[in-house]
Amino acid sequence: MEYLEFEQPIKELEEQLQKCSLIGEESDVDVTNTCKQIEKKLKETKKEIYKNLTPWQRVQLSRHPNRPYTLDYIKALCGDTFLELHGDRNVKDDKAMIGGLGKIGDQSFMLIGQQKGYNTKTRQYRNFGMANPEGYRKALRLMKSAEKFGIPVVCFIDTPGAYPGLEAEERGQGEAIARNILEMTRLKVPITVVIIGEGASGGALGIGVGDKVLMLENTWYSVISPESCSSILWRSWEFKEQAAEALKLTAKDMKKQKIIDEIVKEPLGGAHSDREATFSTIKEEILKAYNEFKNLSPKDLVEKRMDKYSNMGVFKG
Amino acid sequence: MAWFKRKEKGIQTATENKKDVPKGLWYKSPTGKIIDADELAKNFYVSPEDDYHVRIGSNEYFSILFDEGKYKELDKNLTSKDPLGFEDTKKYVDRLKDAEAKTGLKDAVRTAVGKSFGKDLVIAAMDFKFIGGSMGSVVGEKIARAADYSLKNNVPLVIISKSGGARMMEAALSLMQLAKTSAKLAQLAEAKIPYISLCTDPTTGGTTASFAMLGDINISEPGALIGFAGPRVVRDTTGQELPEDFQTAEFLKEHGFLDFITHRKELKKNINLYIDLILNQAIRN
């Protein structure tokens, strides 16, 4: 397990606990009480730390290297029913955007999401979860195919942004995202969106328009990353903490602004500290959202979705 | 030739005694060509010697595209709020006040309806000088309402993009304007009302990732910068050398994202020609 800077007290206590039980095993000294005390303290410390997370600390948690990624969720939810589908039928298969069919319970879903890697090699292979235009076009191809057969769509968002590359610009990164957003506003099947990590700007919204948008507790979603915001508005990378505060990018802020529909609670210590619990909560939430929308006619569904997005914005006059 | 020699070195005139040419009398294009401001306006704000298309705003585009420059502005009193209490080196509310005082504009887009070649046309034109033409709630709402006007009255829509992207000071709310405007354009498409996207210098970020790229036709003016990520970001991220014409209108047309590039003096004619052709009606001029 890797620990973030603000998690150091937890790390220390966990190490103490390990040592304590080791002593118990290797000698005749009765350590039950000591261990219990450390355990109690550990729990309290965890509670204390996670109760008072700053926006920046949540940003750090959203990028925690042990956090589950899109394929982890899909495999946990669908088991071996998941059938990955590849390619945009134009240029190539984007490894930063994955998708395919799978069953959750008895219902088939089209599952799509950005995918990050878990070590240097796979991180590069997945381009750090930054999709190219062909990734967005693959996602749209899969959504249209789901629409054709009346299959609901689930999108998992976890991206530091759409890839800002030369070829990406040549192949129309802006157009690809714009097209997805437009088509998603009128897709005739229910769409559930789950923000599982980073939700950066157009790169996130390119698969992020939905009837129900869920956000895990320790994730962020905004128009720009706090680092880039700091570098543009403060002209220095040093103000990322302030930028994270100013952008109001946490799940709680987003719910307050009515941009997302639900906050999904994470286990104490974050999604990665108890993966199974996280997966089962997400499964429940996805099915709940699907049940809410499955009986709406395509016309009502689209109308409701368009109304929801039409009402976003705050202005005078 | 001693009488040509300067007696004292350097410039001796005190700053307050400097003779200034009043601002706005002359215009200098990036290649160094100089033109009288009145001449420039008569020439559709295009520098005659090098064809440089000067950045202009809603006012100028309305005067170019509407007959006799006459139009009715829509929703002109919508203004920004500061829903997040945003503050960086400056408070967002102060930025808004300053921008309004400096430009005389209420926000970064103006929408209007008027006659163009005798028929109604709705135009939403962005103003870059208002916080970099950034798209926040007001821009999204005004464009959505302009599209509503088009829908209700069955009038073609032109959006003239000129924007650095989404407005950071409204954070995720500004991001959602991409979805809001796109949803409206989807409704316009269902109703088969033509939507023309004119991408002008510069069209980047959030606008490119929404309405600017969603026209029945996407068109531009010569030399305009159009892209999703800015050239500096691309260079810094990839370390690649970028081609000289990177993200110019010509580059985008070559890669298949623009239908055509039009000289500004042909703009009105070409937009209306497209409308007449696609709606299969008599050609106006």
Side-chain angles (χ1 to χ4, degrees), chain A residues 194-210:
Chain A
V194 194
I195 295 141
I196 57 168
E198 299 188 86
S201 200
L205 192 62
I207 57 162
V209 177

Side-chain angles (χ1 to χ4, degrees), chain B residues 27-140:
Chain B
Y27 178 81
K28 190 176 169 192
S29 82
T31 53
K33 306 284 187 244
I34 289 170
I35 177 177
D36 175 82
D38 288 339
E39 285 296 310
L40 187 69
K42 269 185 229 152
N43 202 42
F44 301 89
Y45 304 92
V46 176
S47 161
E49 278 189 75
D50 59 3
D51 250 358
Y52 177 74
H53 283 57
V54 176
R55 276 188 193 177
I56 53 176
S58 56
N59 218 6
E60 290 81 9
Y61 277 112
F62 288 163
S63 75
I64 289 170
L65 292 172
F66 287 126
D67 296 346
E68 294 141 34
K70 280 197 290 197
Y71 57 89
K72 186 180 94 191
E73 192 171 342
L74 305 169
D75 304 300
K76 62 177 173 191
N77 291 321
L78 284 197
T79 53
S80 290
K81 269 173 113 168
D82 177 22
L84 307 181
F86 196 95
E87 183 176 358
D88 47 272
T89 52
K90 198 171 171 180
K91 281 189 177 146
Y92 179 40
V93 278
D94 293 337
R95 263 183 214 277
L96 287 168
K97 263 187 227 146
D98 291 355
E100 194 178 331
K102 214 174 84 191
T103 63
L105 298 162
K106 299 261 190 221
D107 213 288
V109 75
R110 283 169 73 223
T111 53
V113 59
K115 302 274 182 208
S116 190
F117 286 167
K119 281 201 172 175
D120 276 348
L121 186 64
V122 175
I123 304 177
M126 301 188 77
D127 282 294
F128 191 76
K129 57 187 175 179
F130 195 97
I131 317 187
S134 54
M135 168 166 53
S137 297
V138 171
V139 170

Side-chain angles (χ1 to χ4, degrees), chain A residues 169 171 186 312 314 316-317, chain B residues 79 137 180 190 228-229 247:
Chain A
E169 293 293 320
R171 295 197 286 267
R186 65 176 177 188
M312 288 187 190
V314 181
K316 283 185 277 194
Chain B
T79 53
S137 297
K180 180 177 185 165
E190 301 281 331
F228 176 64
Q247 293 181 329

Side-chain angles (χ1 to χ4, degrees), chain A residues 55 58 195 213-221 248-266:
Chain A
R58 289 197 199 272
I195 295 141
V213 180
L214 309 166
M215 201 167 161
L216 276 166
E217 206 181 350
N218 298 313
T219 62
W220 68 273
Y221 190 11
K248 303 275 189 292
L249 44 61
T250 66
K252 216 170 154 186
D253 292 320
M254 293 293 281
K255 176 95 195 321
K256 215 189 307 167
Q257 295 170 61
K258 297 192 185 119
I259 293 174
I260 61 149
D261 300 294
E262 302 291 343
I263 302 170
V264 180
K265 272 193 88 62
E266 293 183 22

